[in-house]
Structures are given as structure tokens and as C-alpha cells.
Amino acid sequence: MLIGGQFVRSESGRYIQVADPMELGGTKENVPWGSRKDVRDAVVVARGAWEGWSGRTAYNRGQILYRLGEMLEARHGELTRSLERGGLDGSAAAAEVSATIDRCVSYAGWADKYQSLFASLNPVAGPHFNFTVPESMGVVGVVAPARPALLGLLGAVLPIITSGNTVVVLASEADPRTALVLGEALATSDLPAGVINVITGRASELLVHLAKHMDVSAIDLHAVEPSLVKKAEEAAILNVKRVRTRSLDDGAWFDADGASSPRWIERFVEMKSIWHPAGS
């Protein structure tokens, strides 16, 4: 798992065995099975990283995301092989990696532009200006879809961190190994430690603990079973978290126009109103 820029085992010592397809040898590898304490550790790290990440200029965040796109491009072959080992054929795996890189570049471009779409100068009856501007919320918990494992994870996380939030993401259960390969790109990019924290394990076990945590400001759930969504919503009541759910098919994830929309960024920002004297 990737927590605070470091690769760590689960404190519980548990692991999940992930097997290659038989045509690739059927080799099994152990992937950490995250626990409640791992989730809590990741939230603490993400909370600590939030102030520094949100305090950077939008331009700087965009440049860091561009650099992340370059790191993904440099690991194109490695990520493709990982997706193949996760069950995709070669052409589908390569297409998913390319789409993920494009998604990263798209949100890098939005980093210093979405504010002009959502901010406003509001009419008021008095000698004041009144502005509304978007601000980051804090730590957002994410459950990535099972498929596409790579594009779904990063496609869900990018719009959230673009506005200055930090993330604790539960990786795909269908292909958790690719999330760890992605973690190597994250750890060696310019992205500050703690901005993206990747937990592998069972969402059915970990999501409620994530939703209950008082330092988590919002939850983003992708293709999660309705019964588990209900449990997360009930747990999120404790500090009135925002809970968003989506269940997209593969076509929607690969739709560059739809999934790169700034409306994805808007889902996890707070709108802040500011009053300023108009002067004499």
C-alpha cells in the first residue's frame, strides 16, 4: 500500500493472493489486505498533507500533474503489463494506460482554469463587492471501480486533488496489483507525499471505517453495492460528510469529454462567499 509516499505492509499482516492468468504462468503474488488502522493512518497522513497541497498555487498543482503524466508515460510498458496480468488483453491494456495519461494531462490543464467557471461576482444592494469562489474541502475518501482498474482509480482521484483536496483511495479489488504499480509512479513523481494514499483490501470491510472518520470531509463511491452505500451514508452522518456515488460503464470512463469535465472537480469543492468594501 502507498501511505504518505511510502510503501507499507498492512499492520495486520494479512494479504490477498493475486494470480496471473494461466497463459501468463498463473503465478501468485501477495498484496496487502488493509485494516481499519491502515485506513486511520492514511487519513492522518492525508490530513497533514492537505494544508500544503491546497496552499500551493493552482498553476503549481497543474505543473505537478503534468509531471505525473510524464511519469506515467515513462512507465507505459510497465503499467500495460500489469493490466495484462490483471486479465486484460494487450491492446485493451495499452489503450487504458494511454487514456489514463490523457486524463492526467486534461486535469493538469484544468488546475488553473476551473475557478473562472465556478467563481462569480454577485449583485448586492450596498457599497460592497460580493464574490463566490471555490475552495478545497480537505480529505476525500474514494472507492475506485473494479474496472477499469487504472483509469477508474486515477480518473476518480484526479478531479478531487486538482482543486487541492487530498485522497485516501481503496483500490480495485479485481486488480489491486496495478494500483501498487501506479503507486511507484506516484511516489517518484513531484506529487507531495500524502496527497494520494492507496489502500488495498476489501471495501466491504474498510469503507465504513473511512466514512466514520471525523477528518474525512467527503466520500466518493464508484460502482459500490447499494447495501454498502447505505452503510457508508449512515456512517457519514457523524460529521455530515458529502457522499457522492457513480456507477459508470467502461464506455463512460473512456469518454474523454465526459470524464474530463470540470463538473467532476465541482463535486468536491466548497463555495466560499467573500464581502469586500467597494470604497468611497
Side-chain angles (χ1 to χ4, degrees):
M1 299 182 293
L2 181 72
I3 299 178
Q6 302 293 320
F7 287 97
V8 299
R9 300 174 187 270
S10 172
E11 60 81 29
S12 68
R14 300 179 302 173
Y15 58 86
I16 303 167
Q17 285 200 316
V18 180
D20 293 344
M22 291 308 296
E23 59 269 25
L24 296 179
T27 306
K28 293 183 179 179
E29 291 184 0
N30 296 336
V31 172
W33 183 343
S35 68
R36 175 181 182 178
K37 185 177 186 305
D38 295 321
V39 170
R40 294 171 63 182
D41 290 345
V43 172
V44 169
V45 168
R47 189 71 181 182
W50 174 51
E51 184 174 350
W53 179 241
S54 62
R56 290 176 182 258
T57 64
Y59 173 78
N60 183 245
R61 287 200 298 271
Q63 292 300 300
I64 289 173
L65 294 183
Y66 274 125
R67 176 60 179 159
L68 175 59
E70 292 177 347
M71 296 302 294
L72 295 175
E73 182 67 49
R75 292 176 177 267
H76 195 294
E78 186 179 357
L79 289 164
T80 299
R81 285 192 295 277
S82 180
L83 287 172
E84 288 184 80
R85 296 176 68 191
L88 298 188
D89 62 46
S91 59
E96 184 174 335
V97 176
S98 296
T100 304
I101 296 167
D102 291 345
R103 195 63 45 85
C104 194
V105 172
S106 292
Y107 280 105
W110 277 120
D112 58 356
K113 300 175 184 64
Y114 75 90
Q115 300 88 344
S116 60
L117 298 178
F118 303 148
S120 62
L121 172 60
N122 309 310
V124 293
H128 295 83
F129 294 115
N130 180 258
F131 305 94
T132 299
V133 295
E135 291 194 342
S136 63
M137 301 178 67
V139 180
V140 179
V142 178
V143 176
R147 302 283 184 185
L150 177 63
L151 178 61
L153 190 154
L154 211 50
V157 164
L158 283 168
I160 297 172
I161 66 169
T162 296
S163 62
N165 297 302
T166 56
V167 165
V168 176
V169 56
L170 305 183
S172 161
E173 294 183 27
D175 184 8
R177 184 170 44 199
T178 295
L180 300 183
V181 176
L182 169 65
E184 294 176 7
L186 298 174
T188 54
S189 71
D190 293 337
L191 199 68
V195 173
I196 299 178
N197 302 278
V198 181
I199 303 284
T200 51
R202 306 296 188 202
S204 58
E205 175 187 340
L206 303 176
L207 175 57
V208 171
H209 301 304
L210 187 60
K212 280 182 178 177
H213 203 295
M214 299 301 284
D215 278 339
V216 175
S217 301
I219 299 289
D220 190 22
L221 308 177
H222 293 269
V224 174
E225 293 180 359
S227 60
L228 190 54
V229 170
K230 186 173 185 296
K231 290 180 181 177
E233 288 174 336
E234 291 173 350
I237 290 173
L238 290 175
N239 68 341
V240 199
K241 291 182 180 65
R242 183 179 301 181
V243 179
R244 294 283 188 263
T245 62
R246 282 185 192 243
S247 192
L248 304 180
D249 57 24
D250 271 9
W253 280 110
F254 280 87
D255 176 10
D257 292 335
S260 298
S261 166
R263 293 298 179 190
W264 282 58
I265 301 174
E266 188 183 24
R267 299 168 81 225
F268 293 102
V269 295
E270 298 281 7
M271 304 306 292
K272 180 178 181 180
S273 291
I274 302 170
W275 292 82
H276 191 279
S280 58

